[in-house]
């Protein structure tokens, strides 16, 4: 199975000036655990995750004043839609993260998470309950 089969095509994109509270609200509304931070001035993509927001709050930082820019990971590992799920899982394990932005020639086309991969590897009907 390939990344394109598991990825979510809901790609939440925010700007670097969004506050962490704004980012959290948008992520909650779309039920996603990460968003792409697009910085037109710096000319690049980054990723902001729920863990980044949680870590900021744990340091007593104010989510109404902290911006996405200050908490964005810029050294992002991207996946191609044609990667296997095993390749994606290996990249996540090696890098210690739970989300990969999926890029093609046009830009971000999806996001794949550990949960997406597990959902494909463990069909719901096979889980004992």
């Amino acid at each position: 199975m390939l990344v394109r089969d598991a990825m979510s095509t809901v790609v939440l994109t925010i700007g670097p000036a969004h506050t962490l509270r704004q980012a959290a609200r948008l992520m909650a509304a779309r039920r996603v655990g990460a968003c792409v931070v697009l910085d037109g001035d710096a000319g690049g993509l980054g990723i902001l995750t729920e863990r980044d927001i949680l870590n900021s709050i744990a340091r007593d930082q104010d989510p109404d004043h902290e911006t996405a820019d200050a908490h964005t990971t810029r050294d992002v590992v991207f996946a191609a839609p044609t990667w296997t799920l095993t390749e994606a899982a290996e990249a996540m394990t090696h890098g210690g993260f739970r989300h990969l932005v999926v890029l093609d020639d046009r830009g971000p086309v999806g996001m794949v998470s550990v949960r997406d991969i597990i959902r494909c590897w463990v069909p719901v009907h096979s889980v004992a309950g």
Side-chain angles (χ1 to χ4, degrees):
M1 190 170 278
L2 302 178
V3 165
R4 72 172 157 241
D5 302 318
M7 72 182 191
S8 168
T9 56
V10 175
V11 181
L12 174 58
T13 303
I14 65 170
H18 277 79
T19 67
L20 293 186
R21 184 175 310 277
Q22 289 170 324
R25 284 182 175 152
L26 291 167
M27 290 163 64
R30 287 166 181 77
R31 300 181 55 132
V32 297
C35 57
V36 171
V37 180
L38 180 59
D39 189 345
D41 295 335
L45 297 177
I47 189 169
L48 179 74
T49 68
E50 57 198 358
R51 174 138 329 182
D52 297 323
I53 295 169
L54 181 66
N55 286 338
S56 174
I57 292 169
R59 290 189 300 269
D60 292 326
Q61 295 174 329
D62 185 346
D64 291 315
H65 291 99
E66 291 294 313
T67 63
D69 186 55
H71 300 276
T72 296
T73 300
R74 303 220 179 275
D75 186 20
V76 179
V77 176
F78 298 103
T82 55
W83 278 18
T84 65
L85 294 185
T86 300
E87 289 172 308
E90 287 172 351
M92 290 177 186
T93 301
H94 179 72
F97 43 79
R98 298 179 294 172
H99 297 86
L100 285 170
V101 178
V102 183
L103 291 180
D104 70 7
D105 313 4
R106 301 163 301 177
V109 294
M111 187 83 70
V112 66
S113 70
V114 170
R115 180 177 291 152
D116 296 326
I117 293 171
I118 291 170
R119 195 175 294 128
C120 290
W121 284 347
V122 182
V124 175
H125 64 273
S126 70
V127 176

